[in-house]
Amino acid sequence: MQHNKVLILDFGSQYTQLIARRVRELNIYCEIHPFNKIPSDSDSFKAVILSGSPNSVRGEAVLHPELEGIRGKKPMLAVCYGAQYLAHFSGGEVAESNTREYGRANLSYIKTDEPFFENIHEGSQVWMSHSDTIKQLPTGGVLLASTNDVENAAYKIEGEETYAIQFHPEVYHSTDGYQLLNNFLVKIAAVEQDWTPQSFVEETVEGLQEQLGDDKVVLGLSGGVDSSVAAMLLHKAIGKNLYCIFVNNGLLRKNEFEDVLTQYEGMGLNVKGVDASARFLDALKGLSDPELKRKAIGRVFIEVFDDEAHLIQDVKWLAQGTIYPDVIESVSATGGPSATIKSHHNVGGLPDFMKLKVVEPLKALFKDEVRRVGASMNMDKHLLGRHPFPGPGLAIRILGDLTEEKVRILQEVDAIFINNLRAWNLYDKVWQAGAMLLPVNSVGVMGDERTYEKCVALRAVESTDGMTADWVNLPYEFLQKTSNEIINKVKGVNRVVYDISSKPPATIEWE
């Protein structure tokens, strides 16, 4: 990418990915790299941002970045841990805070003649998340902002374009966070805002043509946004050399195999449907652990593709719709110190026996960026608005072991839930929705008879990229009608509950 780039050094903060999203929203390209693996081409980055961290600069597990080639040479913004690090190791003092500050706070003082705070005023709400505080600024430090509880909430270093803040501008609750990042990146660092969906399409298509040449590529379509946008990018790049395969793994939504194949008919793609449901379900027999289920599905997925690839003469590449959150959750922000949350079946390469190379056109994009890229290619808005659906399908929405009967039950429940969301004009107001089949039975009464049947949990969340999410306050009347319809129409279910957990601490999927 020939863009002015921003380097984000990850110290393991849960908010690091949000920093990247906010920078991208400014139409500025950025990359996340581990704090201890600064890229060799660091000269190509116009500015650097240091993330927060769960670690303390006062503890034994201090995370030391090599900033000699960056500090004072490039504009740098240090957030939370980064601000404390610069203070603690540059002549200042960091100590445990007497009054820990978490959540909302307000700026009680701002140095008004400072470009860093242009168009931001006293009283502006910010988001704090720290237990240490900066007692004394580092050598050359100039105070820029305070809150009622944190005196040194923001500072800069004289003689450098180095700025540091104790709060998190990347989170939604920092009301002027977008403006602050704009001030730093655009006004101070002079980074050009040239990262747009149109530029991504042009550069990606050109890059794919150079990478793939006349090679043939096989792509697994799922019916979702990611694989569909990846297919259109590849189609633009290599045309007839793209072979799309849609696999029925037996874990799709009700009638989804047929519906998706019909959906692709008008897109000009070469699509083949493969029903491998029996093969997947057989591999999942007796498996209850979610990681084992994911790995089994990934293994069979690869095997099916290997079989299909051998039917295409001289195919050399396997394309996947991997996006940035998949990579982040699987390998901890490209190898940083964050904890791995879960593995993804389309991340991590291919086994040795499979001779295909991998191409992933979307691996640098967040979900909302994927949708904008699809819209720039005039893709169907209903397809782009489709809720995310996990690669392992209903396997990770059925807690415990799988059977065909459990899949049938959940397909029926899910269909009622999703269809009702559409009928009540709620579907587009929800980022993702689905039903979970719980591994418990509960007592019920139907027609004066005792029942002992399954419980299902409904889940609907609002989000922008899946990194964080909050539950949707669906109308009571909707939940009442949907619950009654599920219990009356789906044999084997006698109880429906609604999940009101946010992410974090809960994930969107239950497994």
Side-chain angles (χ1 to χ4, degrees):
M1 299 291 179
Q2 300 302 314
H3 294 275
N4 284 299
K5 300 186 293 185
V6 172
L7 170 63
I8 300 173
L9 293 183
D10 178 25
F11 292 87
S13 170
Q14 63 176 318
Y15 298 139
T16 301
Q17 296 78 33
L18 291 181
I19 298 175
R21 282 204 62 256
R22 294 294 176 261
V23 174
R24 299 277 185 92
E25 286 174 0
L26 287 165
N27 292 331
I28 294 173
Y29 181 71
C30 63
E31 293 178 2
I32 297 174
H33 290 268
F35 76 96
N36 56 354
K37 295 182 180 178
I38 297 175
S40 58
D41 65 338
S42 59
D43 287 344
S44 66
F45 293 91
K46 288 273 289 183
V48 179
I49 299 176
L50 309 183
S51 83
S53 174
N55 296 57
S56 169
V57 298
R58 301 181 302 108
E60 295 181 0
V62 180
L63 308 178
H64 288 286
E66 296 291 337
L67 299 178
E68 288 77 8
I70 296 174
R71 182 175 168 182
K73 300 177 181 178
K74 295 179 181 295
M76 184 166 69
L77 173 61
V79 178
C80 198
Y81 177 90
Q84 294 173 359
Y85 183 89
L86 292 182
H88 188 68
F89 292 100
S90 300
E93 180 188 356
V94 175
E96 185 176 2
S97 176
N98 293 326
T99 56
R100 294 187 177 188
E101 195 166 38
Y102 290 95
R104 295 175 179 85
N106 296 94
L107 298 177
S108 57
Y109 162 76
I110 291 177
K111 193 173 188 297
T112 54
D113 61 345
E114 172 55 52
F116 187 64
F117 280 105
E118 186 175 326
N119 296 321
I120 301 175
H121 307 285
E122 290 182 6
S124 176
Q125 179 178 286
V126 295
W127 186 264
M128 296 285 190
S129 181
H130 58 93
S131 57
D132 289 344
T133 192
I134 300 170
K135 292 290 188 180
Q136 181 178 328
L137 294 178
T139 303
V142 177
L143 180 66
L144 298 183
S146 305
T147 70
N148 289 331
D149 294 319
V150 176
E151 179 182 1
N152 298 312
Y155 65 88
K156 70 175 182 179
I157 305 295
E158 281 189 309
E160 302 177 13
E161 289 185 320
T162 298
Y163 294 80
I165 52 178
Q166 185 62 81
F167 55 89
H168 291 270
E170 67 271 22
V171 304
Y172 171 79
H173 297 292
S174 287
T175 52
D176 289 317
Y178 183 87
Q179 180 64 50
L180 186 141
L181 289 171
N182 182 81
N183 290 345
F184 171 69
L185 293 171
V186 179
K187 299 180 185 301
I188 294 171
V191 182
E192 293 183 20
Q193 297 171 279
D194 58 359
W195 171 251
T196 64
Q198 291 80 8
S199 69
F200 176 83
V201 171
E202 292 170 4
E203 292 167 6
T204 300
V205 168
E206 182 179 342
L208 289 170
Q209 289 171 338
E210 182 178 344
Q211 179 183 14
L212 302 174
D214 292 327
D215 292 351
K216 293 180 181 178
V217 179
V218 60
L219 165 69
L221 285 173
S222 67
V225 178
D226 303 334
S227 64
S228 300
V229 173
M232 289 304 296
L233 286 168
L234 285 159
H235 182 66
K236 280 179 171 287
I238 62 174
K240 60 182 177 59
N241 279 348
L242 173 65
Y243 295 79
C244 299
I245 298 172
F246 177 48
V247 177
N248 181 8
N249 60 10
L251 304 163
L252 303 175
R253 285 171 161 161
K254 185 178 180 181
N255 300 326
E256 189 168 23
F257 185 55
E258 297 80 6
D259 292 345
V260 167
L261 288 175
T262 301
Q263 184 180 45
Y264 283 124
E265 283 181 358
M267 293 178 63
L269 299 175
N270 175 24
V271 183
K272 176 183 179 182
V274 179
D275 187 355
S277 54
R279 190 167 172 177
F280 279 89
L281 291 174
D282 184 64
L284 288 165
K285 283 182 180 177
L287 297 183
S288 298
D289 182 89
E291 278 296 287
L292 293 179
K293 288 193 286 187
R294 287 177 182 273
K295 285 177 167 50
I297 291 169
R299 174 177 55 79
V300 177
F301 179 81
I302 293 297
E303 291 173 357
V304 170
F305 262 82
D306 191 47
D307 292 344
E308 293 300 322
H310 278 93
L311 301 178
I312 305 170
Q313 189 174 4
D314 298 326
V315 66
K316 294 182 179 180
W317 296 84
L318 172 66
Q320 297 186 144
T322 309
I323 63 173
Y324 208 18
D326 296 337
V327 176
I328 291 166
E329 290 193 336
S330 290
V331 298
S332 307
T334 63
S338 306
T340 298
I341 306 301
K342 58 188 176 183
S343 64
H344 287 260
H345 77 283
N346 59 339
V347 176
L350 299 174
D352 291 338
F353 74 82
M354 198 171 187
K355 304 305 180 183
L356 299 181
K357 294 177 285 187
V358 175
V359 57
E360 298 169 311
L362 307 176
K363 67 183 301 182
L365 299 186
F366 290 99
K367 177 71 76 172
D368 52 327
E369 292 180 306
V370 174
R371 288 196 169 101
R372 289 199 293 271
V373 166
S376 74
M377 294 189 291
N378 298 315
M379 292 179 63
D380 185 88
K381 64 179 181 179
H382 297 294
L383 173 60
L384 296 178
R386 188 174 186 263
H387 288 179
F389 188 64
L394 299 181
I396 58 169
R397 294 183 177 178
I398 298 172
L399 278 65
D401 66 321
L402 279 81
T403 65
E404 287 190 47
E405 176 62 9
K406 289 180 180 179
V407 174
R408 180 200 66 78
I409 290 174
L410 191 56
Q411 284 178 331
E412 296 293 338
V413 170
D414 179 85
I416 292 171
F417 185 30
I418 298 301
N419 289 340
N420 281 355
L421 285 172
R422 293 187 186 279
W424 285 60
N425 294 319
L426 294 169
Y427 185 86
D428 292 334
K429 299 176 182 179
V430 172
W431 191 77
Q432 184 172 351
M436 319 293 161
L437 183 64
L438 307 186
V440 295
N441 284 18
S442 68
V443 174
V445 178
M446 292 184 181
D448 295 328
E449 293 184 3
R450 178 185 183 276
T451 62
Y452 191 57
E453 296 180 332
K454 295 293 182 185
C455 173
V456 294
L458 306 183
R459 181 96 158 118
V461 299
E462 53 187 4
S463 180
T464 53
D465 54 26
M467 300 305 302
T468 60
D470 203 0
W471 62 281
V472 178
N473 189 6
L474 294 174
Y476 287 148
E477 295 81 6
F478 169 84
L479 292 172
Q480 181 184 48
K481 181 182 184 303
T482 301
S483 173
N484 287 342
E485 189 173 348
I486 289 170
I487 292 172
N488 288 331
K489 292 185 177 180
V490 183
K491 184 178 180 181
V493 175
N494 69 357
R495 189 176 300 273
V496 177
V497 298
Y498 186 54
D499 183 351
I500 57 170
S501 308
S502 62
K503 176 186 180 180
T507 54
I508 295 176
E509 303 293 344
W510 278 40
E511 288 192 338

